[in-house]
Amino acid sequence: MTDNIKPKEATAIVNSLLGGVVPKIGVQHITVGRSAEIEAFIKALEDVRNGHSMVKFWIGDFGSGKSFMMHLLNTVALKQKFVVANADFTPDNRLYSNDGKAVALYSAIMDNIAIQTKPEGGALATLLEKWIEQVVSKTAQAEGISLTEIREEQHLPLIQRSIMQTLNEITDVGGFDFGVVVMKYYEGYISDNEQLRRSALKWLKGEYRTKTEARQDLGVREIINDLNYYDMLKNFCRLFVNMGYSGFMINLDEAINLYKISTSVMREKNYEKILTIYNDCFQGKVSNFFINFAGTHEVLENERRGLFSYHALKSRLETNKFETLEVRDFSQPVIRLMPLNHNEIFVLLKKLKAIFDFNYKTQLDITDEEIQLFMEEMFNKPGASEFLTPREVIRDFLNILSIIRQNPGVDKRQLFGQIEIRDERPDESAVDSLVDGIEVL
């Protein structure tokens, strides 16, 4: 069961799940019951690799595995040679704003850029250097100059011209400043000017707050801001494809934070931005681009403040009326994540036990029958049917394994008897009344 797992992945899985969060790496080793969704996703990735673009909404109750699904999508997309990035919506990160919250989301996306050799993120500099090396190599070939010689200072204008020419061909809005900054990055790269490289990266990540500062450091007139960050994401998408990647996939989790925006006008502006992205992707205005949103049923369906409150989105995101629990349609934009059944949870817990043993180089004495007993204790507790989530089952199971590992003589049945069910869901009704009060004001 742990044949292909790396020690680093095992540690990430155990530590992250004990902390109640999804591990950044290794999620493929603990995947159960999602094969139909993954199959449909692989087909969608193929379409995007072929030049189409896609938006998917992964909808499920709190703790149903949305964040887990996002990380699993990452793992699959990285293997298919996509550049991927994850970011969470927060009270300070959103799609539309006029006070820096949208460019903050952009910066979070750029910080978390990952490729197969750097799956944990922070791959932007690696990608830039890789692309620059490709340009240098092509220019050397075209000019009949050796690769060693072309890196010398006197050939800098030649390379800069090639960088600018290539970027002009592939970029759209804001391409000129984008090109100038990439040239500055190259200048810093070959002259070992770390400060210049850092300034160029800072600009590309949307971290400059004033145009004056950017002009002083890099000689550009514009900065990435709330209004143009989406154009920059599209420019990066074209750049990655130009390098030979399949496309650019962005996962945006915690959409509840858009639902919680207190003023209806600002909330609508954010939904309007989702509509723009949706239309761009499905009308072919952008290529090789894949955006995933994750949120609860309330975020999607609430007619007053969810995505369905925005009529143009509701008409696009309503579920196929012929779909049932047994007959699913995974090709539609909204994919509803059904809870894992008891058999799937049992398989998951067995996998976790094997990974836990592998991580700690131990062999805990806990049988399949005892795993079943643990599950019975959990699922028969008062409130289990209403409040119990996979996250809580996993955390309690790993906590019990931790106790058993450190206290081998402990009474397992007594431990199982101490399980308590807590309601860990955010109080969305409290959010409703709070926001309604603010809107009345």
Side-chain angles (χ1 to χ4, degrees), residues 133 136-137 140-141 144-156 159 186 190:
E133 284 300 334
V136 168
S137 183
Q141 208 173 356
I145 302 169
S146 76
L147 271 173
T148 315
E149 196 187 330
I150 201 155
R151 291 172 201 280
E152 291 169 9
E153 203 86 28
Q154 76 259 30
H155 294 302
L156 179 63
I159 300 296
Y186 175 68
I190 62 155

Side-chain angles (χ1 to χ4, degrees), residues 4-16:
N4 303 317
I5 196 166
K6 300 183 180 79
K8 189 179 176 183
E9 291 175 324
T11 305
I13 289 167
V14 173
N15 290 348
S16 299

Side-chain angles (χ1 to χ4, degrees), residues 230-269:
Y230 174 51
D231 292 318
M232 289 303 160
L233 288 176
K234 291 190 282 188
N235 285 340
F236 270 112
C237 182
R238 293 187 191 100
L239 182 66
F240 299 149
V241 173
N242 181 261
M243 289 175 68
Y245 284 92
S246 303
F248 187 17
M249 184 179 87
I250 300 171
N251 295 334
L252 299 172
D253 202 352
E254 303 294 345
I256 185 73
N257 283 299
L258 297 184
Y259 171 93
K260 284 178 180 176
I261 293 172
S262 56
T263 58
S264 55
V265 174
M266 190 53 78
R267 210 166 44 244
E268 278 190 9
K269 290 280 191 190

Side-chain angles (χ1 to χ4, degrees), residues 45 48 103 117 125 130 148 190 313 317 354 363 389:
L45 277 179
V48 174
V103 77
T117 51
K130 189 174 174 183
T148 315
I190 62 155
L313 277 176
L317 302 182
Q363 192 60 52
T389 65

Side-chain angles (χ1 to χ4, degrees), residues 1-2 38-39 54 61 196 198 221 242 244 251 292 310 328 375 390 394:
M1 208 179 258
T2 56
I38 292 301
E39 212 173 291
M54 194 80 64
D61 291 325
L196 192 56
R198 274 208 198 120
R221 293 175 179 277
N242 181 261
N251 295 334
N292 294 293
Y310 195 79
R328 305 291 307 279
M375 284 177 61
I394 288 166

